[in-house]
Amino acid sequence: DTAVSQTPKYLVTQMGNDKSIKCEQNLGHDTMYWYKQDSKKFLKIMFSYNNKELIINETVPNRFSPKSPDKAHLNLHINSLELGDSAVYFCASRHLITDTQYFGPGTRLTVL
Amino acid sequence: QQQVKQSPQSLIVQKGGISIINCAYENTAFDYFPWYQQFPGKGPALLIAIRPDVSEKKEGRFTISFNKSAKQFSLHIMDSQPGDSATYFCAASMGDYKLSFGAGTTVTVRA
């Protein structure tokens, strides 16, 4: 069973389009995250949700809108995609006691 | 600005050798210091983590050394194996559970 899953694995789209990435965790964790990994492999947090409530928003452009329909799911919707949005996006969830964050396999977004 | 500085950017080690990666931080409120391992095409996975009340933690061939006064911590990979070839990230967080990552170190273990 995959602990944290993301779909799609790859996403290729044109500038100006709107796209969504979905994330699901079956670990029973309350806190979930979105991270962006750029072409130099630098990982940066974008958002965090705790039990469906937004708790961290790292000055991400408002073209990015996370949504958490329930505590097992955290989706990321991106409007008006730009070339600079090309990156790998990782979803993660956090274990309450150990603080360990479990990452999904990533979604490679390419904006042409 | 980057809250955790990591070095070196890359290193090459012979099989059986020791790999050492160093990280430094400024924020004394950090209280959790994990290391993540990432293979190409995969998500990062926790390797080992330490809290500032201990100076060293060992799990198998991997050891974290922590120097609170110097605000530095390091990862030692003993008896490096080709399967250890990956990118390693140090990170730090505090009560907000927001991980601040270092820039990553690509480790190549030559057989």
Side-chain angles (χ1 to χ4, degrees):
Chain A
D1 267 351
T2 304
V4 181
S5 58
Q6 295 179 227
T7 54
K9 174 79 172 168
Y10 300 96
L11 192 48
V12 181
T13 188
Q14 300 287 330
M15 268 198 315
N17 284 351
D18 303 338
K19 289 294 178 186
S20 291
I21 306 172
K22 294 187 175 182
C23 176
E24 176 181 0
Q25 55 98 0
N26 62 6
L27 298 168
H29 297 163
D30 288 339
T31 308
M32 295 182 72
Y33 305 82
W34 278 110
Y35 288 87
K36 179 180 180 180
Q37 186 170 48
D38 63 23
S39 58
K40 294 184 178 176
K41 296 188 182 175
F42 188 65
L43 273 161
K44 184 169 167 49
I45 189 168
M46 300 174 69
F47 301 102
S48 174
Y49 269 72
N50 186 64
N51 209 4
K52 303 193 298 177
E53 181 181 340
L54 179 68
I55 56 172
I56 295 173
N57 181 341
E58 283 292 296
T59 59
V60 177
N62 57 16
R63 297 184 296 103
F64 290 79
S65 52
K67 283 191 172 52
S68 182
D70 56 61
K71 73 175 193 176
H73 295 84
L74 180 61
N75 304 322
L76 184 65
H77 188 77
I78 316 169
N79 290 326
S80 304
L81 278 155
E82 300 177 357
L83 292 176
D85 298 331
S86 295
V88 181
Y89 292 84
F90 287 101
C91 175
S93 70
R94 183 179 68 87
H95 188 282
L96 177 65
I97 305 300
T98 66
D99 288 334
T100 301
Q101 292 192 21
Y102 296 84
F103 283 75
T107 295
R108 180 174 293 276
L109 171 65
T110 303
V111 182
L112 303 174
Chain B
Q1 71 282 17
Q2 208 168 328
Q3 297 201 56
V4 180
K5 291 186 165 52
Q6 183 173 346
S7 63
Q9 187 175 0
S10 63
L11 68 91
I12 299 173
V13 63
Q14 293 296 319
K15 180 180 174 184
I18 302 172
S19 303
I20 301 174
I21 306 170
N22 300 301
C23 285
Y25 64 97
E26 285 299 322
N27 190 341
T28 55
F30 285 144
D31 62 2
Y32 175 65
F33 301 88
W35 284 88
Y36 278 80
Q37 180 187 54
Q38 185 180 26
F39 293 105
K42 305 291 186 185
L46 179 72
L47 189 63
I48 186 172
I50 198 167
R51 298 203 185 260
D53 53 345
V54 297
S55 59
E56 186 174 282
K57 183 174 181 179
K58 185 176 180 180
E59 288 184 4
R61 295 183 293 106
F62 301 91
T63 300
I64 299 179
S65 297
F66 186 81
N67 186 328
K68 188 174 180 178
S69 60
K71 292 185 284 187
Q72 294 175 349
F73 58 112
S74 60
L75 176 70
H76 289 62
I77 307 173
M78 312 299 286
D79 188 26
S80 297
Q81 299 296 311
D84 297 333
S85 296
T87 300
Y88 293 81
F89 295 92
C90 61
S93 73
M94 47 191 173
D96 60 2
Y97 310 116
K98 182 176 71 175
L99 281 175
S100 295
F101 282 91
T105 298
T106 301
V107 174
T108 303
V109 181
R110 296 237 194 269

